[in-house]
Amino acid sequence: MRYVDAIRIGILGCGTVGGGVVRVLAENQDEIARKLGVPIVVKKVLVKNLSKERSIDLNPRVLTTNAGEILDDDEIDVVVEVIGGVNPAKQYALSALDAGKHVVTANKELVAKHGRELWEAAERTRTAFRFEGSVAAGIPIIKALHECLASNRISEISGIVNGTTNYILTKMAREGWEFEQALADAQHKGYAESDPSSDIDGLDAAYKLAILASVGFGVEVAPGQIYTEGIRKVSKTDIQYARELGYEIKLLAIAKLDGEGLQVRVHPTFVPAWHPLASVNDSFNAIFVRGNAVGSLMFYGRGAGAGPTASAVLSDIMDVARGLSHNGRHYRPEVFKPWGGRLDVQRMEEIETRYYVRLQVVDRPGVLAVIAKAFGDNHVSLESVIQKGTGSPVVGLVFITHLVKEKNLRSALACIRTLSVVKEIASVIRVETGIEADVQRYPHD
Amino acid sequence: MRYVDAIRIGILGCGTVGGGVVRVLAENQDEIARKLGVPIVVKKVLVKNLSKERSIDLNPRVLTTNAGEILDDDEIDVVVEVIGGVNPAKQYALSALDAGKHVVTANKELVAKHGRELWEAAERTRTAFRFEGSVAAGIPIIKALHECLASNRISEISGIVNGTTNYILTKMAREGWEFEQALADAQHKGYAESDPSSDIDGLDAAYKLAILASVGFGVEVAPGQIYTEGIRKVSKTDIQYARELGYEIKLLAIAKLDGEGLQVRVHPTFVPAWHPLASVNDSFNAIFVRGNAVGSLMFYGRGAGAGPTASAVLSDIMDVARGLSHNGRHYRPEVFKPWGGRLDVQRMEEIETRYYVRLQVVDRPGVLAVIAKAFGDNHVSLESVIQKGTGSPVVGLVFITHLVKEKNLRSALACIRTLSVVKEIASVIRVETGIEADVQRYPHD
C-alpha cells in the first residue's frame, strides 16, 4: 500500500485540450498543490508524433506513442482521456478502469454513447469516472446536476451548449448577415471547423444533451433518441421577424420531463427576449435548469476552449484525489448513478409547442382566409399574423401558433403546401414558452 | 459502530428556511432516498413555541423547545442550523461539531463572522461543516468555488447577492419610481422586511461577500474589512443618466485580487448594459466569477426563499452523507480550507475605479471650466460630461471619470464642494470596468 505523495496522471492525447491541461497545470501547480496537499504530476502523455513541435513545455521523456506505457503503469492514478471520438478512446478508458485507474474525460461523444458502460465499469472496479469537461467545458453543470441539485426533482434542462452556432446566430442578428457569411466568419476566427457539420447540424449539441439528460434525470438517453435539427435553414429574415415579435433565435438543447415522459430535442428556437438565455451571445454557452425546490438557475460561461476545458478536467482530478483512500485506490461511492433509471422518450409528433411559420404567398384577396382555414382544419390555432411587402406579387406571411401538437402542425403544413396561392413554406421554427420565468413556489425569507 | 440505514437530522429553527427544509424533504424524499441509497429522516426540530400553528406537516413528537434533545442525541448524524444570527447559533453549532455531528447551515452572519472557527472545529472532530445555503440560497456558488473551480486561480468574484435591493433597483429602473416608493412596494410584496436596513444598507451583501472571498481566495475576510455602501442614495435621476450612458445601476458585492492585494467592497455600481450582470432583474441573484483557466462564468438564480435555500441545505446533507464512512462518523477531508490563508485587504482610498459624479450647479458661463480644473488639479481625468436643463438657474452636470484613485476623487470633491457655483454634489457612484467580457486566453477547440 503506497501512501499518496502525489497524484500521477497519464494524458491520452495532446491536442488542444491535452495541451491545455498540461499548460494550466504548469501555471497553477502551486495553487493546486496547496489546496490538494499533494501535487498533480504529469507522468506520461500519449502523442501521435514524438518529433512534432509543441508550444507547451514538456520533458520529451514524458511523451510516448504507446498507450500501454500509460495504461500499464501502476504508478499512474488517473488517466485523462482527451483523444476524442469513440475508438480507441473507449477501449483505453475501459482498460484504465479495469486496471484500477480513475478516468477523467472531456470526450462528449464517448460519454454520450457509452457513459453507462464506463460508469458501470468504474463501479465494478471501485474507481472514479468523471466527465465534467464533456459538456460546456468549464461550466460546472455536471457536478451541479449530480451533486449540488441532487435534492431537487429536475423538470427542465435547456441550454445553449454549442458555441459555434451561437456565434453564428449572434453575428447574423448583430450584423444582419446571412448564414453562409456568418459561418465563413466563424471559420475564419477558428470557432468553426472546415467541416462544420457536427456543430451546425446540431450533433455536438445532441451529444451534450444526452449527457445532461442522463445526469439530470438519472436515465439513459441515446443520442439517436434526440430529435436534432441544425441552423442551416435559419435566415436573416427569420431573425428580423423574431426580433420584431420580441424573440431571439437560439439553437437550444432541450430536455424536459412532464406527465407524458421525457422530451429531448435540439433545434433552432424562438426564445423570449426577456429570458436570460436570449442575451447569451457570441461563443458563450449557458444552461438553464429548473428544479422543484431551487426554481430556475442558469449557468453561463465559455463552453469550449483549451483553458476552460482544462479547468474542468483538473478540477475533476482534484475531486477524484479528494475521494481517494490513503493507498490511492479505493474510491468513495458516487451519490447516485446518472444512468441508473429508465424513462420513455416522447415521440416528436406528440410534443406540444408553439411555432413560427413563414410563408411566401401570392398577394391576392382571400389568401389569408384560405391559409387560416388550413390551419384551423388541422386544429392549429393562431396567436398572431404578420403580413409584409404588400404590392409585390409574392409577399411574406408570418404566423405564430398557440400550443399545438407537432403532428397537427405537420398535417396543416401538408395541406398548405398544396395550396396554389402558397409559393413556399420558407421556414418553420419552434417557439419555446416552457422556459418561463420561474414563479417562486415558497415564501420569500 | 452503527451501519448507516438512514441519515437522521435535527433542525435548529423552524422559520421560513427550517419549514422549507421539512417541506422539500417531504416532497422529494423518494428522489433523495433513491439517489442516496438511504432516506433522510427528520428526528427532531427545535422550535420556540410548541403550540404554534404550522403550515408544515410534522409529527408533534418531533418538535422540541430544548436544543439539548438534538445536540445530545447520539442518533442524529447531521444538525441543520437555520436559526440565524450568532447567538445561540454559534454555540449550538460548536457543541454539535464537538459531539461529532456534522453541521449544515444557511446562516450567513454566522459563517461570515465565525466560519474559520467552525471550520477548524469540524477539522478537529473530523466532521463536516457545510454552508452552501448561506450565500445566494440554491445557487451552488460555494461548491463551485470550493470544488468545481479549485484548479483555477480566481481573480474576481462580483455579484448581485441581495434580492431585495435588486428588486428595488429593478423597479426604480422599470417604473421610474424613486427609492422610497420601490422600497414600499418591496415591503408590500414581502421582499423587504419592515426594518429593511440590513438589506438596503448592504450589510447582508457584505456578509455574503466575506464568505465568497473566503472560499474563492482561501483567506479570512472579516465583514468589518469590507467597504459597505447601500442604495438609499440612488435616485431615479441617476438611473436615467446611467441608462443614457449605457449602464444599469446594481448593488454589487465585489472581491478582486490584483497585484496590490484583495479588494472587497459592496456599493451601488454602474454596470455596462452588455454585461450579463446588467440583465439580472427583480429578486434574482447572480454571481460572476473569473478564473485564470476557466475565464468568465456566471451563476444565476433565486438567491433567497424557503425552497431555494432548502435545496442547498438538503444537497449539503446528501453531500455529507456521501462522504461518511459506514459507521456514519469519520468524514473525508475537504479539498481545501476556505479560511486557510491570509491576504492584505486594500485600503479603499488606494483603490482605482471610475466614477459617475452628478452635480447641481449654477448655470453661468465658465462654471464647467472651474469644475474641470478642480478635477484636474487633483489628478482626476474626465471621460465624458453631460449638461442638461440649461435655462433654469440651477442645472445638472454629470461627469464620468477615467480610472482614478479613490483618494484623488475625494480630494477633488472636497475642492468642488467649496465652489460657490456648486449647489450640491447630488451623487457619486462607482463605475465598474473591471468586469469586462472575458478575453479567451487559450485557442478554441
Side-chain angles (χ1 to χ4, degrees):
Chain A
M1 304 255 291
R2 171 174 61 83
Y3 191 94
V4 178
D5 61 336
I7 302 297
R8 293 175 180 78
I9 68 173
I11 305 176
L12 302 171
C14 197
T16 312
V17 176
V21 171
V22 172
R23 197 186 292 104
V24 172
L25 182 54
E27 217 174 301
N28 295 356
Q29 56 191 346
D30 297 348
E31 177 87 2
I32 290 170
R34 180 178 66 74
K35 288 178 172 177
L36 204 52
V38 296
I40 294 176
V41 177
V42 178
K43 188 150 187 240
K44 287 271 176 222
V45 179
L46 178 69
V47 296
K48 284 209 196 72
N49 174 358
L50 287 174
S51 51
K52 182 182 170 192
E53 276 296 322
R54 301 179 191 281
S55 58
I56 51 171
D57 172 34
L58 265 180
N59 180 333
R61 273 174 293 123
V62 166
L63 302 179
T64 175
T65 55
N66 170 12
E69 282 193 34
I70 292 173
L71 302 174
D72 303 335
D73 183 336
D74 284 342
E75 277 193 4
I76 288 177
D77 307 291
V78 181
V79 170
V80 175
E81 185 282 305
V82 286
I83 305 169
V86 169
N87 295 310
K90 184 187 171 193
Q91 278 322 310
Y92 288 166
L94 283 172
S95 25
L97 293 170
D98 288 339
K101 300 184 188 312
H102 312 285
V103 171
V104 171
T105 182
N107 183 336
K108 55 192 168 271
E109 185 179 357
L110 177 65
V111 180
K113 291 180 175 172
H114 304 286
R116 184 192 196 103
E117 184 180 348
L118 289 158
W119 185 274
E120 286 170 352
E123 282 180 330
R124 221 176 26 246
T125 55
R126 296 188 64 186
T127 52
F129 174 62
R130 292 302 192 97
F131 48 90
E132 184 66 75
S134 68
V135 179
I139 303 174
I141 186 63
I142 298 299
K143 191 160 194 162
L145 290 169
H146 192 222
E147 299 178 16
C148 309
L149 304 178
S151 63
N152 284 259
R153 277 186 278 120
I154 303 296
S155 57
E156 178 177 357
I157 306 169
S158 296
I160 295 165
V161 293
N162 180 271
T164 307
T165 45
N166 203 49
Y167 178 86
I168 291 171
L169 291 171
T170 302
K171 280 294 180 185
M172 290 175 71
R174 279 201 194 136
E175 315 290 340
W177 290 348
E178 282 296 358
F179 170 78
E180 293 71 18
Q181 185 179 0
L183 171 59
D185 177 69
Q187 286 171 318
H188 175 71
K189 293 241 174 48
Y191 286 131
E193 285 151 40
S194 48
D195 173 3
S197 56
S198 153
D199 288 322
I200 66 181
D201 293 328
L203 277 70
D204 174 88
Y207 286 146
K208 292 164 178 171
L209 184 62
I211 299 170
L212 290 173
S214 301
V215 180
F217 299 106
V219 297
E220 185 163 24
V221 176
Q225 294 177 282
I226 297 171
Y227 172 85
T228 305
E229 185 186 316
I231 65 167
R232 285 183 199 267
K233 285 186 292 180
V234 176
S235 78
K236 158 178 147 184
T237 312
D238 297 319
I239 289 177
Q240 285 158 351
Y241 273 114
R243 295 192 136 187
E244 245 174 82
L245 293 158
Y247 296 88
E248 298 284 342
I249 299 181
K250 297 292 184 185
L251 181 68
L252 289 194
I254 299 171
K256 274 192 213 175
L257 187 59
D258 61 27
E260 309 301 310
L262 186 64
Q263 295 181 18
V264 278
R265 43 196 172 102
V266 172
H267 53 66
T269 312
F270 273 42
V271 178
W274 52 260
H275 192 280
L277 284 174
S279 47
V280 174
N281 290 316
D282 303 314
S283 65
F284 279 92
N285 282 197
I287 296 148
F288 176 90
V289 180
R290 190 196 308 275
N292 70 320
V294 78
S296 296
L297 291 177
M298 193 177 80
F299 302 80
Y300 167 98
R302 290 275 171 206
T309 309
S311 167
V313 167
L314 288 167
S315 296
D316 270 351
I317 296 171
M318 292 175 78
D319 216 43
V320 168
R322 179 166 161 257
L324 298 182
S325 57
H326 280 345
N327 66 1
R329 286 291 177 253
H330 296 323
Y331 186 72
R332 72 171 185 280
E334 299 290 350
V335 63
F336 72 95
K337 174 177 175 178
W339 290 269
R342 290 226 160 279
L343 268 176
D344 289 335
V345 171
Q346 296 182 45
R347 289 169 51 243
M348 203 60 190
E349 312 85 83
E350 299 302 325
I351 285 175
E352 276 203 339
T353 179
R354 290 162 69 217
Y355 293 83
Y356 155 92
V357 177
R358 180 164 64 91
L359 308 177
Q360 290 294 97
V361 303
V362 177
D363 189 14
R364 180 191 307 161
V367 168
L368 182 54
V370 178
I371 295 165
K373 180 172 185 309
F375 277 120
D377 291 347
N378 293 280
H379 317 291
V380 176
S381 71
L382 302 171
E383 181 197 283
S384 52
V385 183
I386 302 180
Q387 178 161 356
K388 287 232 173 145
T390 323
S392 51
V394 174
V395 297
L397 198 53
V398 164
F399 299 88
I400 299 279
T401 74
H402 284 296
L403 271 181
V404 46
K405 277 211 160 117
E406 172 125 352
K407 63 181 174 192
N408 294 346
L409 185 90
R410 288 181 188 173
S411 49
L413 292 176
C415 299
I416 287 165
R417 198 170 281 108
T418 65
L419 300 172
S420 61
V421 294
V422 175
K423 293 300 158 204
E424 186 196 4
I425 297 178
S427 52
V428 178
I429 302 176
R430 292 171 188 81
V431 178
E432 268 304 315
T433 49
I435 48 178
E436 292 122 4
D438 178 47
V439 179
Q440 212 165 357
R441 300 176 53 257
Y442 298 93
H444 186 95
D445 64 1
Chain B
M1 303 252 289
R2 172 174 59 83
Y3 190 94
V4 177
D5 61 335
I7 302 297
R8 292 175 181 79
I9 68 173
I11 305 176
L12 302 171
C14 197
T16 311
V17 176
V21 170
V22 171
R23 198 186 291 103
V24 172
L25 182 54
E27 218 175 301
N28 295 355
Q29 56 191 346
D30 296 348
E31 177 88 2
I32 290 170
R34 180 178 66 74
K35 288 178 172 176
L36 205 52
V38 296
I40 295 175
V41 178
V42 178
K43 187 148 188 244
K44 286 274 176 213
V45 178
L46 178 70
V47 296
K48 285 208 197 74
N49 173 359
L50 285 175
S51 51
K52 182 182 170 194
E53 275 297 321
R54 300 178 193 282
S55 59
I56 50 171
D57 171 35
L58 265 180
N59 180 333
R61 274 173 291 122
V62 166
L63 302 179
T64 175
T65 54
N66 170 11
E69 283 194 33
I70 292 173
L71 302 173
D72 304 335
D73 183 336
D74 284 342
E75 279 192 2
I76 288 177
D77 307 291
V78 181
V79 169
V80 175
E81 185 282 305
V82 286
I83 304 169
V86 168
N87 295 313
K90 184 187 172 193
Q91 278 323 309
Y92 289 167
L94 283 171
S95 23
L97 293 169
D98 288 338
K101 300 183 189 313
H102 312 286
V103 170
V104 172
T105 182
N107 183 337
K108 55 194 170 268
E109 184 179 357
L110 176 66
V111 180
K113 291 180 174 171
H114 304 286
R116 184 192 194 102
E117 183 179 349
L118 289 157
W119 186 274
E120 286 170 351
E123 283 181 328
R124 219 173 31 244
T125 55
R126 296 189 62 187
T127 53
F129 174 63
R130 292 302 193 98
F131 49 89
E132 184 66 75
S134 67
V135 180
I139 302 173
I141 186 63
I142 298 300
K143 192 160 193 160
L145 291 169
H146 191 223
E147 300 178 16
C148 309
L149 304 178
S151 65
N152 285 260
R153 278 186 276 117
I154 303 295
S155 58
E156 177 176 357
I157 307 168
S158 295
I160 295 166
V161 293
N162 180 271
T164 305
T165 45
N166 203 49
Y167 178 86
I168 290 171
L169 291 171
T170 302
K171 280 292 178 186
M172 289 174 71
R174 279 201 195 136
E175 315 290 340
W177 289 347
E178 282 297 357
F179 170 77
E180 293 71 18
Q181 185 178 1
L183 171 60
D185 177 70
Q187 287 171 317
H188 173 73
K189 294 239 173 48
Y191 287 130
E193 285 150 40
S194 48
D195 173 4
S197 56
S198 154
D199 288 322
I200 66 181
D201 293 328
L203 277 70
D204 174 87
Y207 287 146
K208 292 164 178 171
L209 184 62
I211 299 170
L212 290 172
S214 301
V215 180
F217 299 105
V219 298
E220 185 164 24
V221 176
Q225 295 177 283
I226 298 171
Y227 173 85
T228 305
E229 184 186 318
I231 65 166
R232 284 182 200 267
K233 285 186 290 180
V234 175
S235 78
K236 158 179 148 180
T237 312
D238 297 318
I239 289 178
Q240 285 158 351
Y241 273 115
R243 295 191 138 188
E244 246 175 80
L245 292 158
Y247 296 89
E248 296 286 341
I249 299 181
K250 297 292 183 186
L251 180 69
L252 289 195
I254 299 170
K256 276 193 212 174
L257 187 59
D258 61 27
E260 310 301 311
L262 185 65
Q263 296 182 16
V264 279
R265 42 196 172 104
V266 172
H267 52 68
T269 313
F270 273 41
V271 179
W274 52 260
H275 193 280
L277 285 174
S279 47
V280 174
N281 290 316
D282 303 314
S283 66
F284 278 92
N285 282 198
I287 296 148
F288 176 90
V289 180
R290 189 195 308 272
N292 71 321
V294 77
S296 296
L297 292 176
M298 193 177 80
F299 302 80
Y300 167 98
R302 291 273 171 208
T309 310
S311 168
V313 167
L314 288 167
S315 296
D316 269 352
I317 295 171
M318 292 174 78
D319 216 43
V320 168
R322 179 167 160 257
L324 297 182
S325 56
H326 280 345
N327 66 0
R329 284 292 177 255
H330 296 324
Y331 186 70
R332 71 172 186 280
E334 299 290 350
V335 64
F336 73 95
K337 174 177 176 177
W339 290 269
R342 289 227 161 277
L343 269 175
D344 289 336
V345 171
Q346 296 182 44
R347 289 169 52 243
M348 201 61 190
E349 311 86 85
E350 299 302 325
I351 285 175
E352 276 204 338
T353 178
R354 291 163 69 219
Y355 294 84
Y356 155 92
V357 177
R358 181 164 64 89
L359 308 176
Q360 290 294 96
V361 303
V362 177
D363 189 13
R364 180 190 307 158
V367 168
L368 182 54
V370 178
I371 294 165
K373 180 172 185 308
F375 277 120
D377 292 347
N378 293 278
H379 317 291
V380 176
S381 71
L382 301 171
E383 181 198 283
S384 51
V385 182
I386 302 179
Q387 178 161 357
K388 287 230 174 147
T390 323
S392 50
V394 174
V395 296
L397 198 52
V398 165
F399 300 87
I400 299 279
T401 74
H402 284 297
L403 271 182
V404 48
K405 279 212 159 121
E406 172 124 351
K407 63 181 174 192
N408 294 346
L409 185 90
R410 288 181 189 173
S411 50
L413 293 176
C415 297
I416 288 165
R417 198 171 284 109
T418 65
L419 299 172
S420 61
V421 294
V422 174
K423 291 302 159 204
E424 185 196 4
I425 296 178
S427 50
V428 179
I429 302 176
R430 292 171 187 82
V431 178
E432 267 305 314
T433 49
I435 49 178
E436 294 121 3
D438 177 47
V439 180
Q440 211 165 357
R441 299 176 54 255
Y442 297 95
H444 186 95
D445 64 2

